[in-house]
């Protein structure tokens, strides 16, 4: 843990950190895939249609190859994912805003 703190300090001092550009939206992910938005990670436990995927990509959600990704993310609760994906278009905006603005506990960082 101390080594990580030292590495992060050196990266900040030498300005090694670069702002990452948002990757282009890919094809609609399959059932069970994981999508990310900044520090949030959501597993698609419900099949989605193309309209839902287009809406999620407009909000910034992207699929990533999680096998090669070493970043740590907050996992969105399954109940919240289910509510979001089953919501109608009117309620979807409010639910998404709640998910993004929720204060996740650092202990839940995976």
């Amino acid at each position: 843990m101390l080594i990580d703190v030292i590495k992060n300090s050196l990266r900040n001092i030498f300005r090694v950190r670069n702002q990452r550009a948002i990757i282009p939206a890919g094809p609609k992910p399959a059932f069970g895939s994981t999508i990310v938005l900044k520090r949030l990670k959501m597993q698609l436990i419900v099949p989605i249609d193309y309209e839902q995927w287009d809406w999620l990509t407009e909000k910034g959600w992207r699929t990533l190859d999680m096998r090669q990704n070493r970043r740590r993310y907050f996992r969105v609760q399954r109940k919240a994912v289910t509510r979001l994906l089953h919501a109608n278009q009117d309620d979807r905006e409010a639910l998404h805003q709640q998910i993004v603005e929720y204060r996740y506990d650092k202990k839940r960082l995976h």
Side-chain angles (χ1 to χ4, degrees):
M1 190 123 182
L2 179 63
I3 293 173
D4 291 335
V5 172
I6 293 170
K7 284 182 184 178
N8 285 330
S9 299
L10 289 173
R11 288 182 184 126
N12 288 336
I13 291 171
F14 294 114
R15 297 176 189 243
V16 175
R17 297 186 187 278
N18 294 327
Q19 189 70 6
R20 295 178 190 234
I22 190 165
I23 60 174
K28 181 180 77 112
F31 171 77
S33 297
T34 302
I35 59 175
V36 296
L37 172 70
K38 298 180 183 175
R39 297 293 302 241
L40 298 177
K41 177 170 65 170
M42 177 190 311
Q43 185 174 8
L44 298 175
I45 56 176
V46 177
I48 62 172
D49 58 18
Y50 288 102
E51 186 271 328
Q52 288 175 320
W53 178 239
D54 291 339
W55 183 83
L56 286 168
T57 55
E58 286 175 10
K59 297 297 180 188
W61 291 92
R62 299 292 188 259
T63 56
L64 284 181
D65 184 9
M66 299 307 284
R67 294 172 292 177
Q68 297 177 358
N69 192 353
R70 295 180 298 181
R71 291 186 226 157
R72 296 172 56 186
Y73 296 94
F74 293 107
R75 182 180 295 271
V76 178
Q77 294 179 355
R78 295 176 71 107
K79 182 171 57 173
V81 174
T82 304
R83 285 180 54 206
L84 178 69
L85 297 178
H86 286 308
N88 59 23
Q89 291 180 353
D90 299 331
D91 298 335
R92 194 184 298 166
E93 287 288 336
L95 289 171
H96 183 263
Q97 197 66 26
Q98 288 176 354
I99 289 172
V100 172
E101 291 179 354
Y102 182 76
R103 296 186 57 94
Y104 293 90
D105 186 15
K106 293 238 184 211
K107 294 177 184 173
R108 297 190 63 213
L109 196 60
H110 297 275

